[in-house]
Amino acid sequence: MKTDPVVSLVERLKEKGLSLATAESCTGGLLGKRITDVSGASAVYPGGVVSYSNAVKAKLLGVSEEDLRAFGAVSEPVARQMAEGVRNSIGADLGVGITGIAGPKSDDTKKPVGLVYIAASKGESTLCTEFHFSGDRAEIRQQSTDEAARLVLELIEM
């Protein structure tokens, strides 16, 4: 049986004594839900922000309105700023930002369904990866949260 990457993440955060804050757009809080499904997650997860709108991304996470206009919400610069912004605003050791298009239809930018940017931030380091997931809305959101957990785990070990 495969190990759930979110469970592995919570366990590793506990081992290292680190905290994680989440900024989620297309996943709508699914990563936060999955984290809090793990017993003892309160020791490592102070909270997160569901930033579905650009206004919330800008106001609560400090995402540049200029970057939102220039690159769109589904972009590497926005994912990076979401991760860094939530980490700073919540005061966690690490932050993760997820932004993408879960479908079933694309948005007005014509970016493809399944395009997701995930960023993880710790100190001066921020990793960001572009993904092209397939499946229905629920499957894309699940894959996004799995990969977010894996990216944070990768950053922890750096």
Side-chain angles (χ1 to χ4, degrees):
M1 185 170 170
K2 277 176 39 174
T3 304
D4 183 331
V6 175
V7 172
S8 297
L9 173 60
V10 172
E11 290 171 356
R12 193 69 178 135
L13 289 166
K14 286 181 191 177
E15 289 169 9
K16 291 281 196 173
L18 296 170
S19 60
L20 172 68
T22 57
E24 301 183 66
S25 187
C26 65
T27 51
L30 180 60
L31 181 57
K33 181 238 183 274
R34 291 182 65 196
I35 290 169
T36 59
D37 282 347
V38 180
S39 179
S42 60
V44 298
Y45 184 63
V49 174
V50 176
S51 55
Y52 215 58
S53 75
N54 286 352
V56 171
K57 286 175 182 71
K59 186 170 185 169
L60 294 183
L61 300 175
V63 174
S64 161
E65 291 184 25
E66 183 178 312
D67 285 349
L68 285 164
R69 282 190 297 277
F71 303 107
V74 180
S75 64
E76 180 175 335
V78 169
R80 286 178 175 278
Q81 291 173 55
M82 288 171 65
E84 293 162 359
V86 77
R87 177 177 57 91
N88 291 330
S89 68
I90 290 183
D93 298 306
L94 299 116
V96 63
I98 307 170
T99 184
I101 301 172
K105 295 179 182 174
S106 184
D107 59 10
D108 58 359
T109 66
K110 306 298 184 223
K111 292 178 181 175
V113 171
L115 175 63
V116 177
Y117 291 90
I118 302 170
S121 176
K122 175 181 141 190
E124 298 300 311
S125 300
T126 301
L127 303 176
C128 189
T129 305
E130 176 182 311
F131 294 93
H132 295 268
F133 298 123
S134 60
D136 64 21
R137 184 175 181 83
E139 290 167 330
I140 290 168
R141 293 174 73 218
Q142 180 75 25
Q143 292 169 71
S144 297
T145 57
D146 285 347
E147 290 302 330
R150 289 185 187 105
L151 189 62
V152 175
L153 281 165
E154 180 182 329
L155 183 61
I156 289 170
E157 300 310 322
M158 290 179 66

